Amino acid sequence: MSASQATSQGAFTREELEKELLHDYSTSSTGVVPRGERRSLYHFLALWVTLAAGFTYLFLGFQYHDAGYSLVKAVSAGALGALCYLCYALPASYLGSRTGQTHSLLTRSIFGLVGSAIVSLLLIGVAAGWTAFAFNLLAVMYDGLFTWGHVVLIGVILAVVGIFNNLFGFTGITAFARYLVAPVMIVWVLYLVIKGFTDISGDVLSATPPVGDLGPLPFLSGISLAIGSVMWGNEPDTWRWGRPRFFWPALPYVVALAVGLVLFVIGGWMMAQVSGAGPFDFGPAFKSTVKYSLFGALWLGAVVATVLQIAINDGNYYEMVNGGQNVVGHVRQWKRWYTCLVMAAVAALVTWWFPHIENGFFKVAGWSAVALPCATVVMCVDQFLLPRVLGLNRSVDRIPEWRTAGAGNWPAIVAVIASVLFGAWGLMLFPGQTSAPSLGLVPVEAWLGAGVLYLVLAALVARMPNAKALLGFALHLRREPDAPVPAVPLEPTPEPEPEVTG
């Protein structure tokens, strides 16, 4: 190891944390992660495995069992959901690594002022919903282990203190992930699965369990639920710290998806089978599972659950903070940790309200599957297809201030709103909605619809004399002459390898 590398490794605990406490490259003035500060593949492997090694995926397998899925059917739904997510995630991640910008800052350049505000609010809302689900679930598990009660109060307290790692930006969440969390949880669930295969008869494993209180779940709906469970939608936030190569994130994604949507789905299915608990009895089922596979060490189960839920919610808080930074990070004297405190308050409020939402897990997973991905697909079309198909090249190298951003990219806004409404209708997410026609794999259809509709509307608008204004180009781009611009290559021109922090 060179002296400069050793210095970089030593700075991991002090200089890097102090620097990212201030900005984390999330405002218009410091919004692009320099190539020299991109992280190694190990960072991302550790982070994404941790984000996938969560109780959300155990809960997903638990729900599959209650919906009458056999083990094979549950694993198939999870694996197909993982494949759909991977097809979306690779271009979404490349968008972040090529630009070095957060999801929210990219919306300012691509969607304009109105669109950026809409997408940032969607981003904060979806992430707050997942945070509320996770900490309510953790409080339910505490109650199952120790009969503490006060589920809502404990969940709210956890939502407030859970913001801590995000005070230190990307370095804070990756440090916590790779040193404390994933290995313990994966070993435990692997032991649970091996013990389950040993103890549960083959006939039971291959049989279809009785349908529980939530009723049957069509197979395509099960795949959609898996997509929503694993979906972040703000992949540029994380991968802006990575190498700008299209397939570079493939290994972390494949390993993480195998852990979350295969291994943990099996573990959750076995939790339900071993405990015999219903869909609303995850706390008692968790206690039974601890007795079954953690030698009855309830305190150890509580420690593992706490550390893991905090770690996975680092990703949700990171999403919320970056969305907030897009809105207020440019204000004079505003510090990034102010945004962290505001988002902790938002998460606490949503956590308090979450128990009032009927089938909250299904609602959050549904919105997660369509809301942000549709916006991300539109941004990918804008950056990767419009230059090739229409000759429209929107540079995002310079992040516009709010006062110089375009008013709105109206074709993009219409495409996102229409596709999200379609997805919400198809997944029965509207209040009071009790039915919807069988529409197939709704999330994927919504993504494709967003991309195709934006491409068509942009082609129509491109013929108009004020096309750049209608497409939300920032003021500095509208002043440039309309000279032919080469299409953006899918892979950037090779550059010397930057030194990365390990």
Side-chain angles (χ1 to χ4, degrees):
M1 179 183 292
S2 68
S4 61
Q5 287 175 316
T7 301
S8 177
Q9 293 284 350
F12 182 80
T13 59
R14 186 180 65 257
E15 294 174 7
E16 287 294 320
L17 295 181
E18 290 175 356
K19 180 173 62 177
E20 292 185 23
L21 178 62
L22 297 177
H23 56 75
D24 191 44
Y25 300 106
S26 55
T27 65
S28 56
S29 59
T30 56
V32 178
V33 178
R35 292 292 176 90
E37 296 203 22
R38 303 298 175 95
R39 304 305 171 87
S40 69
L41 196 62
Y42 173 65
H43 267 82
F44 293 96
L45 182 61
L47 176 62
W48 278 89
V49 168
T50 300
L51 295 178
F55 282 93
T56 298
Y57 308 105
L58 289 175
F59 191 80
L60 175 64
F62 193 84
Q63 298 301 311
Y64 280 158
H65 184 280
D66 186 75
Y69 281 27
S70 67
L71 182 58
V72 171
K73 187 176 181 180
V75 172
S76 299
L80 288 172
L83 179 62
C84 293
Y85 173 74
L86 184 63
C87 293
Y88 152 83
L90 286 175
S93 303
Y94 180 61
L95 179 67
S97 62
R98 190 176 70 83
T99 63
Q101 297 178 33
T102 69
H103 188 276
S104 296
L105 289 177
L106 283 168
T107 64
R108 196 187 301 182
S109 294
I110 297 173
F111 280 90
L113 191 151
V114 174
S116 182
I118 292 173
V119 176
S120 293
L121 290 175
L122 285 175
L123 188 152
I124 293 171
V126 170
W130 276 122
T131 301
F133 164 75
F135 285 130
N136 270 288
L137 185 65
L138 181 55
V140 166
M141 288 189 284
Y142 287 161
D143 186 49
L145 292 175
F146 309 116
T147 62
W148 283 351
H150 306 292
V151 169
V152 175
L153 176 61
I154 293 173
V156 169
I157 293 172
L158 290 168
V160 172
V161 301
I163 195 73
F164 178 76
N165 290 324
N166 265 269
L167 293 173
F168 304 103
F170 188 72
T171 295
I173 67 174
T174 55
F176 190 68
R178 66 179 179 174
Y179 290 126
L180 287 177
V181 186
V184 173
M185 188 65 186
I186 292 173
V187 169
W188 175 31
V189 174
L190 186 60
Y191 175 73
L192 166 64
V193 169
I194 293 172
K195 185 174 172 61
F197 276 121
T198 303
D199 295 344
I200 302 173
S201 68
D203 292 340
V204 173
L205 290 173
S206 60
T208 300
V211 177
D213 297 338
L214 292 176
L217 182 70
F219 186 63
L220 289 179
S221 298
I223 297 174
S224 298
L225 187 62
I227 294 171
S229 298
V230 76
M231 177 60 68
W232 292 88
N234 68 319
E235 283 71 16
D237 282 7
T238 302
W239 292 101
R240 65 197 176 108
W241 294 89
R243 302 282 182 86
R245 299 172 184 167
F246 187 84
F247 289 105
W248 196 75
L251 176 62
Y253 273 137
V254 169
V255 174
L257 292 171
V259 169
L261 289 180
V262 178
L263 177 63
F264 276 55
V265 164
I266 297 174
W269 191 94
M270 288 184 172
M271 281 182 66
Q273 181 65 42
V274 169
S275 66
F280 307 110
D281 296 324
F282 193 78
F286 180 60
K287 183 175 183 178
S288 297
T289 304
V290 169
K291 291 181 177 179
Y292 179 75
S293 58
L294 271 183
F295 317 106
L298 301 186
W299 65 270
L300 182 58
V303 169
V304 171
T306 302
V307 173
L308 188 69
Q309 290 299 82
I310 290 175
I312 198 169
N313 273 287
D314 284 344
N316 293 320
Y317 278 123
Y318 195 64
E319 189 171 351
M320 295 174 68
V321 170
N322 285 338
Q325 283 289 91
N326 178 48
V327 177
V328 299
H330 62 285
V331 176
R332 281 187 65 127
Q333 305 302 320
W334 187 267
K335 306 295 184 184
R336 186 179 180 277
W337 66 270
Y338 297 170
T339 307
C340 290
L341 295 181
V342 172
M343 293 305 142
V346 171
L349 180 62
V350 178
T351 301
W352 170 77
W353 179 250
F354 191 81
H356 299 86
I357 303 174
E358 185 178 2
N359 297 330
F361 172 69
F362 291 86
K363 293 288 173 51
V364 174
W367 284 112
S368 180
V370 296
L372 292 175
C374 288
T376 307
V377 167
V378 164
M379 291 198 290
C380 288
V381 170
D382 186 275
Q383 290 294 292
F384 303 143
L385 286 186
L386 290 194
R388 295 170 177 273
V389 177
L390 302 178
L392 286 170
N393 192 308
R394 183 196 312 268
S395 172
V396 296
D397 293 340
R398 176 179 164 186
I399 303 169
E401 302 277 344
W402 279 109
R403 63 180 180 274
T404 62
N409 181 346
W410 303 111
I413 293 171
V414 170
V416 169
I417 292 176
S419 57
V420 170
L421 289 177
F422 165 80
W425 175 58
L427 295 174
M428 295 190 294
L429 301 178
F430 292 121
Q433 185 181 1
T434 57
S435 63
S438 179
L439 297 173
L441 199 54
V442 174
V444 176
E445 292 168 358
W447 307 340
L448 294 175
V452 171
L453 183 57
Y454 177 53
L455 187 61
V456 171
L457 293 177
L460 296 175
V461 169
R463 301 173 180 270
M464 301 179 182
N466 58 339
K468 284 190 174 182
L470 293 174
L471 287 168
F473 277 64
L475 293 180
H476 70 276
L477 295 178
R478 277 186 258 167
R479 297 191 185 106
E480 295 176 356
D482 293 323
V485 182
V488 178
L490 188 62
E491 294 286 358
T493 304
E495 298 180 3
E497 291 291 333
E499 181 180 306
V500 296
T501 55

